[in-house]
């Protein structure tokens, strides 16, 4: 716009990053605005009738490319908007952001992160904290092998601490006994008592005799 005149839209840059327009001679102030870049302002003087005036402008970025790593199956939220699971990479403008990791049966983690311009980096996030309880497991007979959700936990009897809350599957096995599978629920800061009886495996002996003629 001309000095002391009302500001008006000059145009939008094309694919080459340029915009052209015929203007009256005189002095103009300009302002270039682009998402994620600092505003650029300046002044140009048009007075030479024999030349086309070219004003080259370099915009300074106001963003960074950031990678967030949760290092778990947590969902990543930025300012309460879900961005991805386990990891996310994207463009963030300079400023302060609340970043959360959310995961079922875990306490969410939350932290405030300051992003500065033109500082591409990777940030390891605070993982969510598991919410746990205890399983007190015994069996008849004792000494049965314990598998919970496919992971071995020794033999019965046993108190198993720090199991994540929710439903789990126990498999008990012992030589000469039929394996037993049972589902149980772990609750926060509580002890779940489970007692499982294993049944004997029936033994069968087959004998054959050759008849005499």
């Amino acid at each position: 716009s001309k000095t002391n005149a009302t500001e008006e839209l000059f145009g939008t840059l094309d694919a080459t990053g340029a915009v052209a327009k015929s203007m009256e001679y005189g002095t103009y102030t300009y302002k270039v605005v682009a998402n994620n870049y600092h505003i650029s302002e300046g002044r140009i003087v048009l007075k030479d009738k024999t030349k086309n005036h070219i004003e080259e402008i370099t915009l300074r970025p106001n963003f960074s490319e950031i990678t967030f790593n949760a290092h778990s199956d947590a969902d990543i939220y930025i300012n309460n908007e879900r961005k991805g699971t386990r990891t996310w990479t994207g463009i963030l403008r300079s400023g302060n952001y609340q970043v959360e990791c959310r995961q079922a049966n875990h306490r969410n983690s939350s932290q405030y992160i300051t992003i500065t311009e033109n500082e591409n980096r990777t940030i390891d996030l605070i993982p969510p904290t598991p919410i746990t309880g205890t399983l007190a497991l015994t069996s008849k007979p004792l000494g049965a092998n314990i598998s919970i959700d496919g992971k071995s936990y020794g033999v019965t009897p046993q108190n198993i601490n720090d199991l994540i809350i929710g439903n789990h599957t126990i498999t008990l096995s012992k030589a000469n006994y039929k394996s037993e599978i049972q589902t149980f629920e772990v609750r926060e800061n509580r002890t779940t008592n489970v007692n499982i009886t294993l049944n004997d495996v029936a033994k069968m002996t087959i004998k054959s005799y050759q008849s005499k003629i």
Side-chain angles (χ1 to χ4, degrees):
S1 63
K2 267 193 174 182
T3 304
N4 299 324
T6 303
E7 188 176 273
E8 63 180 68
L9 180 63
F10 185 84
T12 302
L13 299 181
D14 60 21
T16 67
V19 61
K21 187 175 182 180
S22 297
M23 303 176 65
E24 296 179 358
Y25 298 110
T27 300
Y28 296 84
T29 59
Y30 67 82
K31 180 187 296 183
V32 180
V33 180
N35 289 334
N36 297 326
Y37 287 85
H38 289 282
I39 295 173
S40 180
E41 297 180 283
R43 174 179 291 188
I44 57 175
V45 179
L46 302 179
K47 60 181 180 179
D48 192 335
K49 297 181 180 181
T50 64
K51 295 182 179 180
N52 291 328
H53 183 87
I54 299 176
E55 185 79 5
E56 294 186 354
I57 301 167
T58 300
L59 297 179
R60 186 162 58 92
N62 189 27
F63 64 87
S64 289
E65 183 177 84
I66 303 297
T67 296
F68 288 123
N69 288 326
H71 296 295
S72 69
D73 289 328
D75 292 328
I76 299 171
Y77 284 76
I78 301 176
N79 290 346
N80 212 35
E81 179 182 351
R82 185 182 179 279
K83 295 294 186 178
T85 301
R86 295 187 67 89
T87 187
W88 175 82
T89 299
I91 298 297
L92 292 178
R93 295 193 63 178
S94 301
N96 297 317
Y97 295 85
Q98 181 185 22
V99 183
E100 296 176 275
C101 291
R102 303 179 187 179
Q103 187 173 352
N105 299 332
H106 289 65
R107 286 190 175 84
N108 300 339
S109 68
S110 179
Q111 58 196 113
Y112 288 91
I113 294 175
T114 299
I115 303 299
T116 57
E117 64 188 52
N118 203 24
E119 185 188 14
N120 301 338
R121 57 180 171 138
T122 297
I123 299 173
D124 291 328
L125 299 175
I126 300 171
T129 304
I131 303 173
T132 63
T134 298
L135 170 67
L137 178 61
T138 187
S139 67
K140 183 180 180 181
L142 301 178
N145 297 305
I146 304 168
S147 174
I148 300 177
D149 300 332
K151 181 179 178 181
S152 178
Y153 283 87
V155 297
T156 58
Q158 190 169 164
N159 282 358
I160 302 172
N161 301 311
D162 299 327
L163 284 174
I164 294 178
I165 61 171
N167 292 325
H168 299 269
T169 300
I170 299 175
T171 301
L172 291 188
S173 60
K174 185 177 176 68
N176 299 322
Y177 289 86
K178 181 182 177 182
S179 296
E180 295 290 337
I181 300 175
Q182 185 170 317
T183 299
F184 67 98
E185 182 182 5
V186 173
R187 298 182 180 180
E188 181 178 3
N189 296 327
R190 294 180 61 178
T191 298
T192 300
N193 295 288
V194 176
N195 185 14
I196 299 177
T197 298
L198 302 178
N199 295 315
D200 293 339
V201 175
K203 295 182 179 180
M204 179 180 294
T205 301
I206 300 175
K207 294 183 179 180
S208 64
Y209 299 90
Q210 185 175 5
S211 61
K212 298 180 179 179
I213 300 176

